[in-house]
Amino acid sequence: MAESITITDNRTGNSIEIPIVSGGVDAAAWRKLLPGIWFHDPGMATTAVTSSAVAEIDGETGILRYRGYPIEQLAEQSTFPEVAHLLIYGELPTQAELDEWVDLITHHTFIHENFRKRIYDAFHYDAHPMGLLTSGVAGLSTFYPEAKDIFDTENRRAQIVRLIAKMPTLAAAAYRFSRGLPFIFPDNANDYPTRFLKMMFDVGGEYEPDEALVRAMRVLFILHADHGQNCSTTATRVVGSSHADPYTAIAAGCAALYGPLHGGANEAVINMLTQIGSYEEVDSFIASVKRGGHRLMGFGHRVYKNYDPRAVIIKKAAHDVFGVIGKNPLLDIALKLEEVALADDYFISRRLYPNVDFYSGLIYQALGFPTNMFTVLFAIGRTPGWLAHWNEMIEQNSRIYRPRQVYTGSELRDYVPMEDR
Ligand code: SDX
């Protein structure tokens, strides 16, 4: 049987056969046969906007691989800088490549003093850290005007390094600002997760994070590093496709991630668990979800119609962390919610399972992060993925994103003077 489809225009009887290649069919053939007729695909649920080699997701079987490597192996054996290199350059680095990469990132963690001292002063003390981070990333573009030269490979690498290096600094600065605490300069003697935790929580140079907490941070950054054409990566690609600089494209990724249906879900899960309040209230909450009164935040996924493999790893990491710093009391409510939902036909029929956000917030909260920092943590982790797709899009010499629409508005009509309305 031919790996192809045939489309027939019944108005003319004309047909065209289109080969199925890597799970997709080329829309150009459609345009040839049916000019002016568009696929109507709200949310792009059935549309492949690009080809990509960065991450492979199999939603049916719950598989996630970065450049072919299973997420389980990377979470267990790799480091965040190494995963960032893999995502962006396509290969695990040699020791020499990794040493150079880590050295570059380590020595670009500072942000310009003009920016650091004033960046957040324009905001209210209780501004949401994601609003601060999104603004900060966009503002960074003004310090590196050469970043607009996006077709220079070495220049792209320099901006990629800066963004991976500076996101934790901007993030920690947002937290310290919101707490009225002094800014902590990055300590380049530390590894990536340790440096971030110290910028966040150090007081007087005495804070040394427990190894189990650093391990959890490492795993969480790796698990969030990429996920194909998700909402925020698509936003990064869309903005990048206009040849905007990478800081502006990544700021677009931050903006999209902020929403509670996407990266904001980890914060929404904790708020949901807190609202449920007790183990005994779980059944009534599930009943409310089934009536449409609430969404079960942290459940469901556009692609995974099985258990999100990241949720499995995070659930295990949660137990490791709680073994060190004590159990998060909300864990019992989360476990009960999962148990009840996975046995209930409403969720089974809709193929709703825990996603990456269901347990991550419990760890973040146990690590001492306030809920309004959770999406910021997601953004730090996702930065290499956003950059890998931005880089790939430029290497593919992609066209500017400009989707079509099915127009359903008014037909032609003449302007009506006010006295005749
Ligand atoms: C992330 O795309 C990615 O890869 C994202 C991400 C990444 O790494 O980048 O994986 C990270 O964003 C994970 C998702 C975090 N969001 C949440 O946990 C928010 C709660 N989940 C949903 O709102 C929802 O499941 C989405 C947004 C994740 C997916 O939405 P879809 O694919 O558009 O699904 P849908 O809204 O069309 O739902 C299909 C059905 C509907 O029921 P019916 O209208 O058919 O009766 O399932 C129901 C929905 O009402 N449904 C839910 C639900 N999610 C879907 N019902 C209750 N609780 C939910 N969480």
Side-chain angles (χ1 to χ4, degrees):
M1 182 172 28
E3 275 291 296
S4 65
I5 60 169
T6 299
I7 301 172
T8 300
D9 181 349
N10 292 324
R11 301 169 299 177
T12 62
N14 295 334
S15 290
I16 191 166
E17 183 178 1
I18 311 175
I20 298 170
V21 178
S22 307
V25 289
D26 182 0
W30 171 282
R31 283 199 297 275
K32 208 154 62 180
L33 176 73
L34 294 161
I37 304 289
W38 314 115
F39 279 112
H40 185 223
D41 186 18
M44 295 190 273
T46 322
T47 296
V49 289
T50 185
S51 57
S52 176
V54 179
E56 180 185 9
I57 306 169
D58 181 326
E60 290 303 319
T61 54
I63 282 173
L64 171 59
R65 299 183 187 129
Y66 292 165
R67 300 283 188 176
Y69 294 95
I71 190 66
E72 294 79 4
Q73 293 181 21
L74 294 170
E76 184 67 32
Q77 304 175 56
S78 189
T79 64
F80 183 60
E82 182 176 75
V83 164
H85 186 283
L86 171 67
L87 287 168
I88 293 162
Y89 295 107
E91 297 299 334
L92 288 172
T94 61
Q95 190 58 59
E97 288 167 336
L98 183 60
D99 292 346
E100 183 204 9
W101 178 247
V102 170
D103 186 65
L104 280 170
I105 289 169
T106 301
H107 293 93
H108 284 85
T109 54
F110 277 54
I111 46 184
H112 191 290
E113 271 298 276
N114 281 3
F115 204 44
R116 181 193 68 79
K117 283 180 188 158
R118 300 187 184 88
I119 173 179
Y120 296 140
D121 285 354
F123 294 86
H124 281 207
Y125 75 93
D126 58 353
H128 195 291
M130 265 311 277
L132 299 178
L133 179 71
T134 305
S135 312
V137 175
L140 272 187
S141 67
T142 64
F143 286 83
Y144 307 106
E146 73 277 12
K148 290 180 172 56
D149 185 7
I150 61 174
F151 291 105
D152 177 299
T153 307
E154 277 315 301
N155 181 42
R156 280 209 308 276
R157 180 177 171 90
Q159 312 315 325
I160 285 169
V161 163
R162 281 177 172 143
L163 274 156
I164 294 171
K166 298 178 195 302
M167 283 299 265
T169 310
L170 281 173
Y175 169 73
R176 303 290 288 194
F177 171 81
S178 70
R179 284 293 191 280
L181 291 170
F183 173 83
I184 301 281
F185 284 96
D187 179 349
N188 292 344
N190 296 132
D191 64 20
Y192 198 92
T194 304
R195 183 164 61 233
F196 172 62
L197 287 170
K198 292 176 83 169
M199 282 194 281
M200 280 289 301
F201 299 123
D202 189 25
V203 179
E206 292 161 13
Y207 174 74
E208 276 306 327
D210 184 292
E211 261 314 298
L213 308 191
V214 174
R215 260 198 321 276
M217 208 70 247
R218 174 185 64 81
V219 169
L220 284 161
F221 281 154
I222 289 173
L223 293 178
H224 286 83
D226 190 59
H227 212 245
Q229 305 308 314
N230 57 83
C231 178
S232 54
T233 298
T234 300
T236 299
R237 276 182 173 256
V238 168
V239 171
S241 76
S242 74
H243 293 175
D245 68 80
Y247 299 90
T248 312
I250 297 302
C254 291
L257 190 73
Y258 196 175
L261 290 188
H262 188 17
N266 50 24
E267 179 177 354
V269 167
I270 293 298
N271 296 336
M272 172 186 73
L273 295 173
T274 306
Q275 178 201 348
I276 293 169
S278 73
Y279 189 89
E280 293 69 29
E281 292 303 318
V282 164
D283 288 328
S284 62
F285 182 80
I286 288 286
S288 160
V289 170
K290 290 163 67 176
R291 287 196 304 273
H294 292 92
R295 280 234 154 176
L296 186 51
M297 301 310 277
F299 256 69
H301 199 278
R302 175 64 58 77
V303 177
Y304 289 124
K305 301 309 174 192
N306 202 317
Y307 220 98
D308 183 332
R310 300 167 297 177
V312 175
I313 299 168
I314 289 176
K315 193 172 169 183
K316 183 184 171 306
H319 287 294
D320 295 347
V321 167
F322 298 151
V324 170
I325 50 180
K327 191 169 78 169
N328 185 324
L330 296 176
L331 176 65
D332 289 336
I333 299 174
L335 291 169
K336 172 78 171 167
L337 262 179
E338 177 185 352
E339 177 198 331
V340 172
L342 293 186
D344 187 300
D345 187 58
Y346 177 92
F347 301 92
I348 296 168
S349 63
R350 290 170 176 78
R351 306 187 73 186
L352 302 176
Y353 291 85
N355 59 47
V356 66
D357 294 303
F358 191 63
Y359 285 105
S360 56
L362 290 170
I363 302 183
Y364 292 145
Q365 192 172 51
L367 291 175
F369 293 102
T371 48
N372 66 10
M373 277 294 290
F374 291 4
T375 310
V376 171
L377 302 174
F378 196 147
I380 297 172
R382 185 51 54 89
T383 294
W386 287 333
L387 289 166
H389 285 274
W390 171 75
N391 197 51
E392 181 179 64
M393 181 194 67
I394 290 167
E395 288 176 348
Q396 289 170 334
N397 203 18
S398 294
R399 301 175 70 191
I400 189 169
Y401 277 55
R402 204 281 180 221
R404 301 293 187 144
Q405 64 178 12
V406 171
Y407 178 67
T408 56
S410 303
E411 294 302 323
L412 173 66
R413 51 183 174 165
D414 294 325
Y415 182 79
V416 179
M418 186 58 76
E419 61 273 13
D420 297 337
R421 289 179 197 171

